[in-house]
Amino acid sequence: MSLCRPLLVTWALLTCSVRSQSWRPCTDLFPIDLLARALPPPGQTTPTQMVQSRGSRGIRLTSPVPTALSFTASQIFTNCDFFPSEFSLVATLKIQRLRMKTSQYILSVVKEGSASLLLGLRISENHRPPCSGPEKGQLWFNVQTKGLFICDGRMWRTLLQSKERLDYVEDYQDLYTRSETFDVEVFSIPSEGLFMAAANRDARPGSGVYRWRNGTFQLYQNISTQEARAWKHFTINDKVFLVVADIRKAEPELSVVYRWNRRQKRFLRYQTLETHAAQDWEAFQIHNDSFLVVANHRRASDHNIPSVIYRWNPETKLFEVNQTLSTFGAYDWEFFTIGPYHFLVVANTFDSQTTTISSTIYVWLDGCFRTFQNITTVGATDWEMFQIDGRFFLAVANSQQLSSRGPSLYSINSTVYELNMFTQTFIRFQDILTHSAVDWEFFTVGDEKFLVVANSHDGSSYSLNSVVYRWQGYEGFVPVHSLPTFGCRDWEHFSTDEGSFLLYSSATSRLSKVFRLRTY
């Protein structure tokens, strides 16, 4: 069937009729043309018109108002009482344009004698319909993603989804932030939508929180910061928090925890924590306990200072010091879980003498973190943990190699490590040439896996290509896309109803950019 009409309406309405006292499954059904049964007999007035488009013949609904074409289910279920346990619906549609925010179905099944909806197949271009109690059992077909979903009363569950493949990357939004941006954090707030917090360099006007509206990030709130280096979003119970890694010139240096106020719909200052040139926060949970860990980079010129783990006290509802760990110019923390074990890995950058030092993986044992493995890194700035087909990987971003005899080296290898289950250690899997790498971001498109690196500097220029690598099994990660960036500092991958995106921040310019991932 071909529908040549801008507005899609219900084309088949089945009314269930149950007359038998005993339940009988439908097992002897043959393919049935539902539309032919729903159309009036020849000679009667019908709100349809036979049309032909590009060699296909179909029915156009001509009525100016929504029209229901229906028949009773007993016409096709002659030897049984209910729908078969498995069935397929095939519909061919030609639609010029779908209107947003409309409740339209190509197939509905309602209870006899009432308008109670039992099953509905809804079609939409890119708008996610509501899913609550009244919509339970409804099917929704998304034209853009070619996905079929069912509402369970709370959320849309995927039934069928075409496997997307990354085709190319396109420029989508120029995002001018308050000042140079060291880090971006993308997160969602229930019932409010998608947000992004930018860690901006300048104290005036501070750092911006942006909200995704009408397909772009728009400034939503400004938060006072001194020299923000990173944001971390986390939740405790149903409370939403943001914590900023902030650098202040005066002692004591304080980083701030903010909590989302549901009434004011703003982030408000909640707690201050003493930090030292903080570069990063990581939030995690172990069992029922919530933790924060800060990457303290230096105190004055001393980079050999401990970083601190804080534990949430459910009675005082505040974070309290739980454990300190020796770090050397700490730049990043990454928490991950493998089976029953919980790990923390720190990116140590500089020990006041050299950048070629050990970064440490810690494991949670007997209520605290203990050293699990030391890995030699070169000015490490980021760790990214990811899993592929049951294999566990850690990627480190190496930024620079100091040389006592000449200039520092910025074009050096960053390394992907894989957990060896026999030796119970992470071993070198692949070296990748990078240029003062400061971030890795792992993401998936369909069944494909990718890593994108933030190349920030090659010793002479900040205008470099940051590279997207695709996982190709035995070959490891291979380069597939080169994206021009300027002073690239951080990557974030996120998805919306509009598609999948990559966002990068620039530490040398106010211009950050959003790229759309085009798929096929």
Side-chain angles (χ1 to χ4, degrees), residues 32-196:
I32 300 172
D33 188 344
L34 298 180
L35 180 61
R37 290 181 175 270
L39 291 173
Q44 292 189 14
T45 302
T46 174
T48 62
Q49 176 185 358
M50 181 68 71
V51 296
Q52 185 164 327
S53 176
R54 296 184 180 180
S56 297
R57 182 172 296 180
I59 298 296
R60 172 188 288 160
L61 301 182
T62 58
S63 174
V65 296
T67 304
L69 303 176
S70 65
F71 63 92
T72 59
S74 59
Q75 293 184 28
I76 56 175
F77 298 148
T78 57
N79 297 320
C80 54
D81 306 314
F82 300 105
F83 261 79
S85 58
E86 295 184 7
F87 60 93
S88 299
L89 296 171
V90 180
T92 303
L93 307 172
K94 182 177 181 181
I95 306 167
Q96 296 176 355
R97 181 174 176 271
L98 286 175
R99 288 195 312 191
M100 300 289 288
K101 299 181 179 179
T102 54
S103 296
Q104 301 168 54
Y105 300 85
I106 61 173
L107 175 67
S108 301
V109 181
V110 299
K111 189 174 182 180
E112 184 179 15
S114 74
S116 177
L117 184 66
L118 301 178
L119 179 70
L121 178 57
R122 186 197 304 255
I123 189 168
S124 122
E125 187 170 10
N126 54 21
H127 173 67
R128 184 179 295 273
C131 175
S132 57
E135 289 81 26
K136 185 175 182 179
Q138 292 185 17
L139 297 174
W140 164 49
F141 180 74
N142 189 307
V143 174
Q144 188 178 51
T145 64
K146 298 180 178 62
L148 182 64
F149 307 86
I150 187 169
C151 175
D152 65 2
R154 296 184 301 107
M155 63 184 296
W156 290 103
R157 301 286 186 180
T158 302
L159 292 179
L160 294 172
Q161 183 78 56
S162 63
K163 299 299 184 181
E164 293 182 305
R165 294 179 64 87
L166 180 59
D167 191 5
Y168 61 93
V169 181
E170 69 174 4
D171 196 351
Y172 183 80
Q173 181 187 1
D174 288 342
L175 183 62
Y176 287 92
T177 54
R178 316 295 281 183
S179 59
E180 298 92 331
T181 305
F182 290 104
D183 174 76
V184 285
E185 176 82 348
V186 178
F187 58 95
S188 295
I189 298 178
S191 302
E192 298 296 337
L194 186 72
F195 292 81
M196 184 270 288

Side-chain angles (χ1 to χ4, degrees), residues 341 343 372-373 418-427:
Y341 298 102
F343 298 88
F372 174 78
Q373 182 181 352
E418 182 181 2
L419 178 63
N420 186 305
M421 292 297 185
F422 296 102
T423 63
Q424 296 186 351
T425 58
F426 283 91
I427 60 175

Side-chain angles (χ1 to χ4, degrees), residues 1-17:
M1 183 191 71
S2 179
L3 291 180
C4 300
R5 192 167 187 268
L7 180 63
L8 181 67
V9 298
T10 301
W11 63 266
L13 187 66
L14 302 183
T15 304
C16 292
S17 175

Side-chain angles (χ1 to χ4, degrees), residues 300-414:
S301 60
D302 185 10
H303 290 77
N304 302 326
I305 59 171
S307 293
V308 182
I309 300 173
Y310 298 87
R311 175 182 171 274
W312 175 263
N313 187 324
E315 296 182 358
T316 63
K317 299 188 184 308
L318 294 171
F319 283 100
E320 301 173 351
V321 174
N322 178 258
Q323 184 180 357
T324 59
L325 296 171
S326 296
T327 54
F328 308 94
Y331 215 90
D332 176 70
W333 284 102
E334 178 87 344
F335 174 81
F336 58 96
T337 298
I338 299 177
Y341 298 102
H342 308 285
F343 298 88
L344 266 179
V345 56
V346 64
N348 286 323
T349 304
F350 184 58
D351 66 357
S352 297
Q353 293 183 338
T354 180
T355 57
T356 305
I357 55 178
S358 290
S359 291
T360 304
I361 304 173
Y362 299 90
V363 63
W364 178 265
L365 291 174
D366 300 325
C368 66
F369 282 100
R370 304 175 186 273
T371 299
F372 174 78
Q373 182 181 352
N374 290 309
I375 296 177
T376 300
T377 53
V378 186
T381 52
D382 180 64
W383 285 101
E384 181 81 350
M385 187 273 177
F386 54 93
Q387 182 178 349
I388 299 177
D389 298 330
R391 300 164 64 180
F392 299 93
F393 297 89
L394 273 175
V396 64
N398 289 323
S399 64
Q400 61 175 308
Q401 181 177 351
L402 291 182
S403 174
S404 59
R405 298 182 179 180
S408 298
L409 300 178
Y410 297 93
S411 297
I412 58 178
N413 284 334
S414 293

Side-chain angles (χ1 to χ4, degrees), residues 206-233:
S207 295
V209 176
Y210 298 77
R211 187 176 185 179
W212 186 265
R213 284 183 175 176
N214 301 320
T216 60
F217 279 117
Q218 301 175 22
L219 184 63
Y220 181 81
Q221 179 184 356
N222 190 72
I223 296 179
S224 176
T225 54
Q226 295 298 309
E227 189 178 323
R229 291 305 178 108
W231 287 100
K232 186 64 182 181
H233 158 265

